[in-house]
Amino acid sequence: MSKTPNTQPLTPNLRIGSGYDVHRLVEDRDLILGGVKIPFEKGTLGHSDGDVLTHAIADAVLGALALGDIGQHFPDTSPEFEGIYSIKLLEHVVSLIKAKGYLVSNMDATLILQRPKVMDFLPEMRQKLSEALGISLDQISVKATTTEGMGMTGNGDAVAAQAVCLLSKF
Ligand code: MG
């Protein structure tokens, strides 16, 4: 059997990226997820606003072009990013991929937490994220799941998020 030569270009028109993040849930912090403030007795700890969903999404976008991660672009030692609204960080990440000739084709993200129930807030999160990503609503999916009471997200210690995105060259 003859070997088929690898004709894949070095920079293909489609790139996939994944992102994952976890933040601790603590008292006296706001809970901001996907750019939306959620009423809850606890919030996520972080140097920025601790928006774990937006962080996972930004890391997926960066990862698709092997541009590192948000910790490298926005160091948590920098006062510039203290308390920053993470949607602003995502907008900057999108400007980086645009400069390289790419746009987000679609994004699929999942929030992992036990409480609070976030289902009613998912449409607003999609709206905010779609604006930051410069895409339409049908290009972004935000889902939520619990871990059935198990582990750090199940016992209420943390909120986690993961995201997968596809970028296409324009
Ligand atoms: Mg984070």
Side-chain angles (χ1 to χ4, degrees), residues 5 46 48 57 61 86 92 112 142 156 167:
S48 66
I57 284 172
V61 173
S86 294
H92 179 75
I112 305 154
V142 179
L167 306 188

Side-chain angles (χ1 to χ4, degrees), residues 77-160:
T77 49
S78 167
E80 189 188 344
F81 305 120
E82 194 173 349
I84 196 167
Y85 186 47
S86 294
I87 290 284
K88 296 270 174 221
L89 306 182
L90 181 57
E91 286 169 354
H92 179 75
V93 163
V94 171
S95 75
L96 295 179
I97 62 150
K98 274 189 184 164
K100 290 193 171 287
Y102 283 85
L103 290 171
V104 175
S105 184
N106 79 301
M107 174 74 66
D108 185 18
T110 305
L111 265 171
I112 305 154
L113 77 173
Q114 199 70 32
R115 285 177 62 236
K117 293 292 171 205
V118 291
M119 203 174 72
D120 291 348
F121 298 95
L122 298 182
E124 197 181 341
M125 290 182 205
R126 284 178 70 208
Q127 182 67 45
K128 290 242 194 270
L129 291 163
S130 74
E131 286 166 14
L133 291 164
I135 59 181
S136 60
L137 277 179
D138 64 358
Q139 291 171 289
I140 174 156
S141 154
V142 179
K143 313 184 298 297
T145 188
T146 72
T147 47
E148 300 194 345
M150 295 179 287
M152 63 182 173
T153 53
N155 67 16
D157 279 349
V159 181

Side-chain angles (χ1 to χ4, degrees), residues 20-23 45-46 48 50-56 59 70 86:
Y20 177 72
D21 197 19
V22 183
H23 280 253
L45 190 62
S48 66
D51 185 342
V52 65
L53 175 61
T54 300
H55 293 179
D59 265 350
I70 56 169
S86 294

Side-chain angles (χ1 to χ4, degrees), residues 28-81:
D28 300 319
R29 286 277 300 186
D30 287 337
L31 181 60
I32 296 169
L33 299 171
V36 178
K37 190 173 168 181
I38 316 280
F40 192 51
E41 71 254 25
K42 289 182 174 180
T44 43
L45 190 62
H47 184 67
S48 66
D49 63 357
D51 185 342
V52 65
L53 175 61
T54 300
H55 293 179
I57 284 172
D59 265 350
V61 173
L62 288 170
L65 290 188
L67 292 175
D69 59 48
I70 56 169
Q72 290 163 2
H73 289 269
F74 314 107
D76 64 7
T77 49
S78 167
E80 189 188 344
F81 305 120

